[in-house]
Amino acid sequence: MEIDTDTAVEKRVIINNVMCLLTDPDGAPLGAPMYLPQNIGPQQLQLIVNQLLRNEEKLPYAFYISDEELLVPLETYLQKHKVSVEKALPIVCQPQAVFRIRPVSRCSATISGHGEAVLSVAFSPDGRQLASGSGDTTVRFWDLGTQTPMYTCTGHKNWVLCIEWSPDGKYLVSGSKSGELICWDPKTGKQSGNALIGHKKWITGISWEPVHLNAPCRRFVSASKDGDARIWDVSLKKCIVLSGHTLAVTCVKWGGDGVIYTGSQDCTIKVWETTQGKLIRELKGHAHWVNSLALSTEYVLRTGAFDHTGKHYSSAEEMQKVALERYKAMRGNAPERLVSGSDDFTMFLWEPFVDKHHKTRMTGHQQLVNHVYFSPDGQWIASASFDKSVKIWNGTTGKFVTAFRGHVGPVYRISWSADSRLLLSGSKDSTLKVWDIRTRKLKQDLPGHADEVFSVDWSPDGEKVASGGKDKVLKLWMG
Amino acid sequence: MPQGDYIERSIKENGRRLDYEERKRKKAAREVHKHSQKAQKTLGIKGKIIAKKNYAEKAQMKRTLAMHEESTSRRKADDNVQEGAVPAYLLDRENTARAKILSNTIKQKRKEKAGKWDVPLPKVRPVAEDEMFKVVRTGKRKTKQWKRMVTKATFVGPGFTRKPPKYERFIRPTGLRFTKAHVTHPELKCTFNLEIIGVKKNPNGPMYTSLGVITKGSIIEVNVSELGLVTPAGKVVWGKYAQVTNNPENDGCINAVLLV
């Protein structure tokens, strides 16, 4: 804007106005359609939205016009896309996480200790403890402060395939190749109770009951190759058998509404109710094994009452209340969404409480899909496949967003950072890669493992990443 | 063999002898000794048949005894823990063993400094020049003999253009030009069809190396990006050396062994 100081005549720059309608992610408008000048950008839009919603603290938002993020002033966007200014322009405002996680860049520790390949690593829901299960039949707890081993727990007779923390952080359950499950107390490293025997073949997945349904955490469900899933009660030592699948059950998830989803090699997903173990619904559609399931509220169910503030609660009722609030805030009014990845190279997005048929079919991968994961805010779905790519899809509609290429071997597991801005992937080519969702590019390459990486996990407080693989060492990465 | 039932009838009507049970019992007891006597005394093929039958019965009895002695309680460490642990999502899949980075970079650097390589074929038969080249007579009277045509397999790069025919001394016929080689990984024992990047060394001399002649024993550099190898620093390996193991001019293809 040039101002001719000599003549003191202001040259007016013509700023056009455009009619905009700000909506929230569910589609409800935040206010009436209004005229906004064309030279405003995302920062000014944030101020407007904060004022409209009367937020006390300035919350960050991301803006999307027809599924494309708005990063430049409106003017540039309108010119590029030649949008008509006759109609009101709908702008979707997506709330972003208040905290920002730093991307990890270096390996802070390589801890050896396991005698065989590390098969699974998991951080506790508050992010303070780390556990790993390995092919040498032990479960080990690691001290994050000194980055050294803390407890070595023996008791399994064969490889420890899956481990899972209870959402209140009080127990860790591990399942082995011989079909037994053992419950450990992370504070002492000792077994609590006897081994739970019942499955006839190896355990493929474990999932705890969410805290907001029942606190303290007592029940969990385990899936096995023998085709049934069992709901175990740790204190009563009872189990309910969910049988119905004809082939191995590959993954199991306990939903936030009190149902259990199981995906199996017989190409179906079954929905069960938890008090008696009856089958509610069967979701058919896949043409080959269902490899992995993910729920839109999964991250909240996993972390329970803990969040980025790191507050600890003393009583179980308090934890249950806080967890319920967090769950309600996460879910909103929309029904719970489920995504399933399969060997037939496609994924399906389901809304199990609405319809028996899938909502969207997500194709694009050229090899089987090994792991699917919703982002913690439920906005994105990430899928890791054996075709060496990681694809990002829209979390509500299932539309394809972008593909991350860079790995030279099949991608085995993925993990989101707690603010949903970064994605971590571990692959057979022994590297981990951190991808940025906003710029849709590779953020950081993390080489260092000597052999395949089998399992990765990002701690819920965002400070550390743990990875374990065939080279028998556990690596901790920090920002 | 009695024809009729008169024996049974008489037993039914008149009963048996008074000492029948005792005699029967004692005869059965003597059976064992009789059997043993027979087995010891019989000669020839009959003896052999009896011995064979006895042995089969003995083995069967031993088996039943062992079965009865097996206790019903499971013992510890029954299922042996196998090596090569894989996570649950890989358990039902057969994974082809893939190429790892097998040599240490420090060892590689040391070897390169020494100029010595551990090659599968350390010595090869030397190829004489008259075997390698064929003299081409040119000129109006076909008296000039300064041109040579290469009779062995060659590799010319993708951007290769011939020198003007009037001045080229070495002719490399297109029929003997190769771009791909069948490279075998020595540890995995699987063969891949990989592109040749260049000829690193021909054991018969530096002239042949510069011409790009590939004979048995020459070291070529191949493009291994499809194997998906990664160095410890995280970089992707895309070129590796391989040594040729056959005579390509006789077979029509280049077979090589990867140098790891």
Side-chain angles (χ1 to χ4, degrees):
Chain A
M1 185 164 144
E2 281 183 9
I3 303 177
D4 202 338
T5 46
D6 284 340
T7 58
V9 167
E10 238 180 54
K11 277 213 183 108
R12 263 187 299 150
V13 174
I14 302 173
I15 306 172
N16 289 322
N17 288 345
V18 62
M19 174 86 102
C20 296
L21 178 64
L22 298 165
T23 61
D24 71 356
D26 293 331
L30 293 175
M34 56 182 84
Y35 272 112
L36 293 172
Q38 271 187 16
N39 61 352
I40 64 170
Q43 293 98 316
Q44 291 92 336
L45 277 174
Q46 265 190 25
L47 292 171
I48 296 176
V49 172
N50 274 315
Q51 276 232 319
L52 270 178
L53 295 176
R54 292 194 194 87
N55 293 329
E56 281 115 26
E57 8 170 300
K58 299 273 177 294
L59 298 173
Y61 286 90
F63 301 96
Y64 293 89
I65 305 182
S66 51
D67 285 337
E68 213 187 287
E69 194 169 350
L70 178 67
L71 298 163
V72 294
L74 268 181
E75 203 172 349
T76 328
Y77 179 82
L78 290 174
Q79 274 175 3
K80 214 164 59 144
H81 290 259
K82 297 193 191 46
V83 178
S84 146
V85 294
E86 307 268 320
K87 293 185 294 190
L89 185 68
I91 304 179
V92 181
C93 314
Q94 193 80 245
Q96 303 259 287
V98 179
F99 53 102
R100 181 177 282 274
I101 304 277
R102 261 190 314 207
V104 292
S105 54
R106 59 184 179 87
C107 178
S108 71
T110 304
I111 326 173
S112 53
H114 275 297
E116 270 279 338
V118 178
L119 300 179
S120 52
V121 295
F123 276 100
S124 66
D126 53 4
R128 292 209 188 151
Q129 290 163 302
L130 174 64
S132 64
S134 149
D136 65 354
T137 75
T138 60
V139 169
R140 282 171 205 247
F141 290 93
W142 310 87
D143 183 7
L144 286 175
T146 57
Q147 298 178 349
T148 50
M150 206 156 67
Y151 298 118
T152 302
C153 314
T154 51
H156 276 296
K157 294 203 182 63
N158 214 319
W159 310 340
V160 177
L161 289 175
C162 325
I163 55 173
E164 196 75 28
W165 287 88
S166 68
D168 58 0
K170 295 263 178 0
Y171 292 112
L172 174 83
V173 162
S174 55
S176 86
K177 189 159 183 283
S178 49
E180 68 205 353
L181 292 135
I182 300 185
C183 219
W184 310 93
D185 179 12
K187 296 218 176 18
T188 59
K190 298 247 184 303
Q191 203 172 329
S192 63
N194 278 340
L196 302 166
I197 305 183
H199 281 296
K200 294 183 192 58
K201 292 208 193 146
W202 66 75
I203 309 286
T204 52
I206 306 174
S207 180
W208 280 86
E209 184 172 18
V211 177
H212 67 259
L213 290 175
N214 194 356
C217 294
R218 276 169 36 201
R219 299 203 297 168
F220 63 91
V221 61
S222 63
S224 159
K225 169 136 172 76
D226 59 5
D228 49 44
R230 280 169 197 252
I231 308 178
W232 303 88
D233 191 322
V234 186
S235 33
L236 295 176
K237 301 268 186 275
K238 280 222 183 91
C239 97
I240 307 175
V241 185
L242 310 171
S243 52
H245 282 294
T246 48
L247 287 175
V249 183
T250 50
C251 48
V252 64
K253 286 275 179 307
W254 201 310
D257 298 327
V259 293
I260 294 179
Y261 303 94
T262 54
S264 157
Q265 281 179 0
D266 63 3
C267 319
T268 61
I269 303 168
K270 291 197 194 307
V271 187
W272 313 80
E273 61 96 37
T274 56
T275 46
Q276 289 190 338
K278 290 217 182 72
L279 176 66
I280 304 179
R281 199 163 274 170
E282 189 172 340
L283 305 172
K284 289 197 221 186
H286 276 297
H288 208 311
W289 301 353
V290 178
N291 281 332
S292 167
L293 292 174
L295 292 168
S296 53
T297 49
E298 195 172 336
Y299 201 78
V300 171
L301 299 177
R302 177 196 162 191
T303 47
F306 303 106
D307 60 3
H308 65 280
T309 55
K311 213 167 129 204
H312 269 255
Y313 305 94
S314 44
S315 77
E317 287 82 23
E318 214 183 317
M319 239 193 248
Q320 185 168 5
K321 221 167 44 131
V322 175
L324 187 61
E325 272 165 33
R326 279 190 82 214
Y327 175 68
K328 283 220 178 85
M330 175 71 213
R331 215 186 112 181
N333 292 329
E336 205 170 28
R337 297 185 299 277
L338 170 77
V339 67
S340 58
S342 157
D343 254 24
D344 64 359
F345 308 175
T346 64
M347 295 141 56
F348 281 122
L349 182 65
W350 314 82
E351 268 171 0
F353 287 99
V354 172
D355 198 3
K356 203 162 66 153
H357 292 287
H358 54 90
K359 191 172 166 201
T360 326
R361 183 167 194 196
M362 296 136 85
T363 57
H365 276 296
Q366 280 134 347
Q367 274 287 318
L368 63 96
V369 179
N370 199 38
H371 193 198
V372 292
Y373 209 146
F374 260 97
S375 69
D377 60 1
Q379 212 185 335
W380 315 103
I381 301 173
S383 61
S385 157
F386 276 26
D387 68 356
K388 310 173 195 166
S389 72
V390 175
K391 288 197 199 273
I392 304 287
W393 315 78
N394 184 314
T396 29
T397 58
K399 222 168 68 129
F400 174 70
V401 171
T402 182
F404 292 133
R405 289 183 204 283
H407 279 295
V408 292
V411 187
Y412 281 156
R413 302 295 275 187
I414 40 184
S415 179
W416 284 92
S417 70
D419 63 348
S420 312
R421 292 197 184 100
L422 299 167
L423 174 70
L424 174 75
S425 59
S427 146
K428 189 178 178 184
D429 67 359
S430 77
T431 60
L432 290 100
K433 293 198 192 318
V434 180
W435 311 91
D436 189 330
I437 300 298
R438 209 178 61 88
T439 58
R440 301 190 185 165
K441 284 207 177 20
L442 174 67
K443 189 78 181 242
Q444 190 78 29
D445 191 11
L446 303 171
H449 269 287
D451 211 338
E452 310 182 18
V453 177
F454 283 145
S455 174
V456 296
D457 196 18
W458 206 315
S459 76
D461 58 9
E463 297 279 311
K464 292 193 176 52
V465 166
S467 63
K470 206 163 165 190
D471 57 355
K472 309 176 197 167
V473 298
L474 197 78
K475 275 188 188 279
L476 281 172
W477 312 79
M478 285 185 63
Chain B
M1 285 266 79
Q3 298 187 3
D5 59 347
Y6 66 94
I7 298 182
E8 278 95 32
R9 232 171 0 118
S10 99
I11 293 175
K12 252 196 272 182
E13 283 170 8
N14 309 325
R16 289 196 186 266
R17 282 174 73 147
L18 295 162
D19 50 2
Y20 169 70
E21 268 88 30
E22 185 158 348
R23 280 168 49 129
K24 190 166 176 210
R25 181 181 56 86
K26 287 182 87 136
K27 187 164 188 194
R30 280 195 298 272
E31 258 337 301
V32 189
H33 298 279
K34 279 235 167 218
H35 178 83
S36 148
Q37 255 185 13
K38 238 191 263 179
Q40 287 175 33
K41 285 205 169 160
T42 337
L43 305 168
I45 185 73
K46 276 209 185 123
K48 285 207 172 114
I49 292 171
I50 292 177
K52 187 165 172 203
K53 220 185 283 179
N54 279 352
Y55 175 71
E57 275 180 22
K58 179 175 179 181
Q60 183 64 28
M61 181 58 75
K62 273 194 141 178
R63 242 178 264 139
T64 10
L65 283 174
M67 222 170 60
H68 285 301
E69 262 177 34
E70 239 181 38
S71 58
T72 43
S73 61
R74 291 251 306 268
R75 263 165 254 130
K76 245 195 197 184
D78 228 345
D79 324 75
N80 36 0
V81 181
Q82 285 157 328
E83 274 202 9
V86 278
Y89 51 84
L90 291 176
L91 267 175
D92 274 329
R93 307 186 192 277
E94 296 127 24
N95 268 335
T96 49
R98 58 159 190 86
K100 284 196 309 198
I101 23 132
L102 294 158
S103 33
N104 214 332
T105 31
I106 304 175
K107 268 198 223 162
Q108 288 233 6
K109 281 201 195 126
R110 245 186 251 151
K111 269 200 224 158
E112 269 182 41
K113 250 198 252 173
K116 279 198 218 156
W117 278 86
D118 241 347
V119 281
L121 303 175
K123 283 209 184 87
V124 283
R125 189 178 71 84
V127 182
E129 194 180 325
D130 51 357
E131 194 184 330
M132 188 76 86
F133 298 125
K134 178 172 116 78
V135 180
V136 175
R137 287 168 167 265
T138 51
K140 194 170 184 184
R141 307 273 174 266
K142 297 278 189 267
T143 46
K144 295 173 180 261
Q145 291 186 29
W146 55 275
K147 274 178 177 274
R148 299 279 180 277
M149 186 168 78
V150 178
T151 58
K152 306 280 180 194
T154 58
F155 171 75
V156 295
F160 173 73
T161 18
R162 292 165 59 189
K163 276 167 67 168
K166 186 173 158 109
Y167 299 111
E168 67 177 344
R169 197 190 312 179
F170 294 105
I171 302 174
R172 279 165 280 191
T174 50
L176 286 174
R177 292 188 201 162
F178 291 94
T179 45
K180 285 191 173 216
H182 305 309
V183 183
T184 311
H185 196 288
E187 253 116 88
L188 302 178
K189 306 271 187 277
C190 50
T191 316
F192 306 94
N193 198 12
L194 304 174
E195 260 185 39
I196 305 176
I197 301 171
V199 177
K200 174 82 177 166
K201 191 162 179 61
N202 191 307
N204 295 305
M207 175 172 70
Y208 302 120
T209 314
S210 62
L211 276 178
V213 175
I214 301 180
T215 54
K216 181 170 181 173
S218 33
I219 312 283
I220 55 175
E221 192 176 355
V222 285
N223 182 343
V224 293
S225 50
E226 62 176 59
L227 297 185
L229 304 171
V230 178
T231 62
K235 298 203 182 1
V236 181
V237 176
W238 70 280
K240 258 189 165 326
Y241 292 130
Q243 189 181 32
V244 177
T245 52
N246 72 330
N247 290 315
E249 66 276 3
N250 297 339
D251 301 328
C253 62
I254 304 182
N255 298 338
V257 146
L258 198 64
L259 300 176
V260 285

